Amino acid sequence: ANQGTGVIDGASAGVGDLVFAGTYNTDAAIGATNALNSITVNDGAALTLDQNANATSVTVGQNTSGTLNQSAGTLTATSLTVKVGAAYVQSGTGVLNATNITLVGASSLTLANQGTGAIDGLAPGNGGDLVFAGNYNTDSAIGATNGLNSITVNDGVTLTLDQNANATTVTVG
């Protein structure tokens, strides 16, 4: 729950669960040598990620809040889930590379930089909000399995959509 310092690694690849229960700013890589099994940002907690992080699964929030602010570094994960009321906000030079990204209900994912991953809602009618705050070229479908609540492309941003996309609302500019 309190700020600390140092590298955080799994004992071996895919081992170890890291939970952020308060406000934390990274000062060293997470899972650089051995990727963690999971990284969780609890409800009410805020993680500022400005270093590389690597885990099998990353979860933001527990269904009411939680924030992951990524300003630098690369977050690499097999799955990223942003739960109801939670937000993943990218700025600066941060990069998100996840195989599967799931947005649940009233959650939001703001992407400022090119990354990779299929972005889906949790279930039909239960997808979050996706905001493109920087130029982006899709590499996977958006909302292919379960549509999102919304997709927004901010003013001055170019979204190159060369994959399928499915959302209740799409706003450009």
Side-chain angles (χ1 to χ4, degrees), residues 18-22 38-49 53 55-70 75 77 79-90 96 98 100-111 122 128:
L18 177 61
V19 177
F20 293 98
S38 70
I39 298 171
T40 301
V41 179
N42 280 352
D43 282 344
L47 170 62
T48 298
L49 183 64
T56 303
S57 80
V58 176
T59 303
V60 182
Q62 298 165 295
N63 285 326
T64 61
S65 63
T67 304
L68 193 155
N69 293 306
Q70 183 189 23
L75 174 61
S79 68
L80 166 67
T81 302
V82 184
K83 296 217 172 172
V84 173
Y88 184 116
V89 180
Q90 193 180 69
L96 171 60
N100 297 301
I101 301 165
T102 304
L103 304 180
V104 183
S107 64
S108 66
L109 171 63
T110 301
L111 297 174
L122 177 66

